[in-house]
């Protein structure tokens, strides 16, 4: 049995999902030989510490840790002080400066902790230097949950399609945009009405620009470009058009001809724009689903789809990353 | 660098693809630390042996090994005599008695060789005893290519969705049936016409019953049931209806209501039958594509699609299995 001390930084929707999932899967993980102990949970109000594992029942009902914190430590101070093998970073995303996640990841990697994250910001801002910091410290940086939520993409390429050369990846990486375009098509309603409906349902934010202007999708395109294609590019290299100019008339005309209009991110083209997709293509998924077509030299085109967001779903992708850290062996290092 | 001696048994369409792919990917595999050497290729006419690796240029132009064999050894005799770490078994499938693949796999596993295969027959007939033989001999039996060709399904469940409990798998597992149903829908033509077209294109066999009666799909359902769900069931436990009774009228009516009719295999229901699938579902792929929806407790529904057949595509799935054998560590054994 391998004992693994895990610290969680960030206690919003995804953070709650992580605590829930790690608790639910404790026995299954032990069956795999992994004794995962959540030794700390930190948010902007403080930290809950427990060497024997944080009790999920005591914190899952709390929106923040304000009432249950056992220490006032926050952020980098907590990361440096807490003895753990792996940090899960799920603070809010900022793709301009990457903070506070960037500082958290740097502190964790520099002190020899593996990092698993759903936070795009630090990877958009500093993928190359974070990757190098991980390598220099002999630890891993894993981020399946940053692109497409629970939809497996990075692990699919790195593990299942490992013998292939990846020629390109195109996909629907934003469930909010996909929902709006789907509803505009189904009901023939204008953008503003579909957006308003999505906001009522909690699928779009009050300020929807991060999603509908294509910023979120562009961040994901950038992460795929730098991680899967080693492109070393920055946000301004991505050519971005959002969905605010798409009309119900255009959607209806496309449908008549057998196409859907979807917001498609493309690597290595580094574009994000509304694109015609054949209705019978596996890429043309509806509602809040995400999808990705992976173009390969041997396997042809593999398409995958799944929910792009959700607390438990995102936590599930984080769990996959954690397991893969401890199950993957470096062939050259072992033999 | 890990030296791995590979023997290939079966030299039909998939066997040719395997020789091609192992040759093409030699350098990439070496970069991963795997020095794969194809030390023998065996078919029903004899064996080509080479300790330094069989020269692909000398055999890829040959339909069988009759003109190039360096030894008259065949089948189990060759498997027992040849010193290799891993056998790739790609002889023709027989799902009634599983031979000759079953005997080949038993011989290889019993002599401590890993087995990687695209041959459904032996798994349909004797999954449980083959799995046990592998475990007793400390080797692995991998068969991603048996279900859905290059479409990743077993590895996706075992590796990428590893933290999940799998509630069910439903999918299109036969490209021939999917092609026929797609063409019947597109052109409004009866089954017999679409079948004839598929035969002309080499998509259906002269005797199409194995595909169109649902036998092939049922074999795949059985493999998924026994491997992913530990169900220990046999072929007669699967309730099978093929596509020969599907009419263009039924397809047209379904389409009008927003559905496609697809031949769907279902685990753990153990059914194969023509089924209504919503047109905008990621499962509703067209042409010769295969697809599979994986229902999970944490990640919701993940759907994957890809080509279900093809020489290079199937060889690619075999390659993935080979790499995974040498990259996966048993956590409990290492620590």
């Amino acid at each position: 049995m391998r004992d693994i001390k895990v610290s969680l930084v960030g206690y919003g929707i995804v953070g709650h999902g992580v605590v829930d999932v790690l608790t639910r899967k404790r026995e299954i993980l032990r069956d795999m030989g992994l004794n995962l102990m959540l030794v700390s949970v930190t948010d902007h109000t403080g930290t809950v510490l427990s060497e024997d594992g944080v009790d999920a029942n005591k914190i899952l009902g709390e929106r923040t840790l304000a009432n249950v914190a056992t220490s006032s430590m926050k952020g980098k101070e907590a990361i440096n002080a807490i003895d753990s093998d792996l940090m899960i970073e799920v603070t809010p995303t900022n793709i301009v400066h990457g903070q506070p996640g960037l500082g958290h990841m740097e502190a964790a990697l520099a002190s020899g902790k593996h990092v698993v994250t759903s936070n795009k910001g630090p990877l958009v801002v500093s993928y190359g230097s974070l990757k190098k910091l991980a390598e220099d410290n002999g630890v891993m940086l894993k981020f399946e949950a940053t692109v497409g939520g629970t939809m497996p993409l990075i692990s699919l390429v790195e593990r299942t399609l490992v013998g292939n050369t990846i020629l390109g990846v195109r996909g629907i990486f934003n469930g909010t945009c996909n929902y709006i375009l789907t509803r505009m098509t189904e009901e023939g309603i204008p953008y503003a009405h579909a957006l308003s409906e999505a906001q009522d349902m909690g699928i779009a934010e009050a300020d929807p620009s991060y999603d509908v202007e294509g910023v979120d999708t562009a961040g994901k395109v950038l992460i795929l470009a730098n991680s899967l294609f080693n492109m070393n590019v920055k946000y301004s290299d991505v050519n971005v058009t959002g969905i605010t100019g798409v009309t119900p008339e255009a959607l209806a005309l496309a449908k008549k001809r057998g196409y859907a209009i979807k917001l498609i991110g493309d690597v290595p083209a580094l574009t994000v724009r509304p694109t015609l997709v054949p209705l019978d293509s596996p890429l043309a998924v509806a509602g809040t689903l995400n999808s990705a077509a992976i173009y390969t030299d041997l396997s042809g085109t593999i398409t995958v789809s799944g929910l792009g967001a959700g607390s438990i779903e995102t936590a599930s992708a984080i769990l996959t990353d954690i397991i893969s850290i401890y199950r993957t062996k470096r062939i050259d290092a072992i033999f």
Side-chain angles (χ1 to χ4, degrees), chain A residues 49 54 71 112 122 155 168 223 291 321:
Chain A
L49 280 170
V54 172
S71 157
S155 64
I223 290 172
S291 64
D321 275 349

Side-chain angles (χ1 to χ4, degrees), chain A residues 25-287:
Chain A
K25 295 293 178 176
R26 189 165 170 76
E27 284 312 305
I28 287 176
L29 289 164
R30 288 179 64 94
D31 290 346
M32 288 181 196
L34 295 176
N35 184 32
L36 249 69
M37 265 186 310
L38 184 63
V39 296
S40 69
V41 182
T42 300
D43 75 359
H44 61 286
T45 68
T47 293
V48 175
L49 280 170
S50 173
E51 280 186 22
D52 307 323
V54 172
D55 184 348
N57 291 324
K58 286 198 181 141
I59 67 168
L60 272 178
E62 303 285 327
R63 206 172 60 80
T64 74
L65 301 174
N67 295 325
V68 288
T70 57
S71 157
S72 62
M73 291 191 299
K74 297 166 206 162
K76 282 184 276 193
E77 183 198 1
I79 293 163
N80 287 323
I82 294 163
D83 172 29
S84 73
D85 305 301
L86 183 150
M87 176 186 73
I88 301 170
E89 217 291 342
V90 293
T91 62
T93 283
N94 180 300
I95 67 160
V96 177
H97 51 60
Q99 299 299 353
L102 181 54
H104 296 166
M105 291 185 197
E106 287 168 346
L109 295 170
S111 62
K113 298 175 172 70
H114 300 295
V115 170
V116 176
T117 190
S118 62
N119 183 353
K120 280 177 291 297
L123 299 170
V124 167
V125 174
S126 295
Y127 177 80
S129 62
L130 285 172
K131 195 77 187 169
K132 184 167 186 310
L133 194 56
E135 279 163 15
D136 289 349
N137 287 279
V139 288
M140 297 184 82
L141 169 64
K142 302 281 283 180
F143 45 90
E144 177 73 60
T146 61
V147 182
T150 194
M151 175 179 79
L153 178 51
I154 294 168
S155 64
L156 191 66
V157 169
E158 289 187 343
R159 305 210 50 86
T160 299
L161 301 174
V162 62
N164 281 274
T165 299
I166 306 300
L167 309 172
V169 176
R170 294 171 78 228
I172 298 172
F173 300 123
N174 186 278
T176 305
C177 289
N178 201 25
Y179 180 83
I180 291 171
L181 293 174
T182 301
R183 291 295 294 154
M184 287 174 70
T185 307
E186 285 171 353
E187 306 292 335
I189 53 178
Y191 166 76
H193 289 197
L195 169 62
S196 168
E197 178 187 296
Q199 286 169 324
D200 288 348
M201 295 181 65
I203 292 170
E205 307 271 346
D207 174 2
S209 53
Y210 180 71
D211 291 317
V212 299
E213 302 288 357
V215 179
D216 174 67
T217 303
K220 291 163 177 170
V221 161
L222 192 71
I223 290 172
L224 292 175
N226 287 335
S227 63
L228 298 183
F229 293 80
N230 295 309
M231 286 178 75
N232 194 23
V233 287
K234 54 192 187 304
Y235 187 87
S236 58
D237 295 321
V238 186
N239 195 328
V240 187
T241 306
I243 63 163
T244 57
V246 178
T247 64
E249 291 75 23
L251 290 163
L253 185 62
K255 190 178 174 185
K256 207 172 143 187
R257 303 271 166 92
Y259 290 89
I261 298 177
K262 300 291 186 184
L263 186 68
I264 297 290
D266 187 316
V267 189
L270 299 182
T271 54
V272 175
R273 59 180 161 224
T275 305
L276 289 170
V277 179
L279 280 171
D280 64 1
S281 156
L283 207 54
V285 296

